[in-house]
Amino acid sequence: MDLAAFTRSLANDAPPAGLSPPLAALWWDAKGDWARAHGLIDHLETHDAMAVHAYLHRKQGDASNAGYGTAAPPANTAARPTRPRVKPCSKPSSPPPPRLYRRITRH
């Protein structure tokens, strides 16, 4: 399924059958159900699920949780400058970014 077909599927009440959990999470997020999207991938440790997890938290404005599971913490966290808080996405119900969608569907 390409991004255009994915975007068209958002007119439906349920995601297309056979979507992977990361894609289903993107679908539910695009429909405005962040909690359902997060619940689908929060417990998964695949690269795709972690990428979607980070995206969801950045979109929510929770930069500190956006990096969870994506990288090992630096050895000296006290010396590391803190990152500014990411602004929440201005369009909470929108299709996923094309780059993230392509990453998830590249398999």
Side-chain angles (χ1 to χ4, degrees), residues 11-61:
N12 301 327
D13 292 331
L19 289 184
S20 67
L23 281 176
L26 289 175
W27 193 91
W28 284 110
D29 176 62
K31 293 289 281 187
D33 194 340
W34 188 95
R36 190 167 188 174
H38 186 261
L40 286 171
I41 50 89
D42 186 40
H43 62 286
L44 300 177
E45 295 183 9
T46 66
H47 288 287
D48 290 345
M50 288 188 288
V52 173
H53 184 260
Y55 164 75
L56 291 173
H57 280 286
R58 281 193 308 270
K59 187 174 180 182
Q60 182 191 41

Side-chain angles (χ1 to χ4, degrees), residues 1-2 5 7 10 18 23 30 32 42-43 48 50 53 58 66 70 73 79 82 84 95 98-99 103 105 107:
M1 172 183 293
D2 64 13
T7 302
L10 296 172
L23 281 176
D42 186 40
H43 62 286
D48 290 345
M50 288 188 288
H53 184 260
R58 281 193 308 270
T70 59
T82 58
R99 184 175 176 190
R103 175 186 172 161
T105 59
H107 309 292

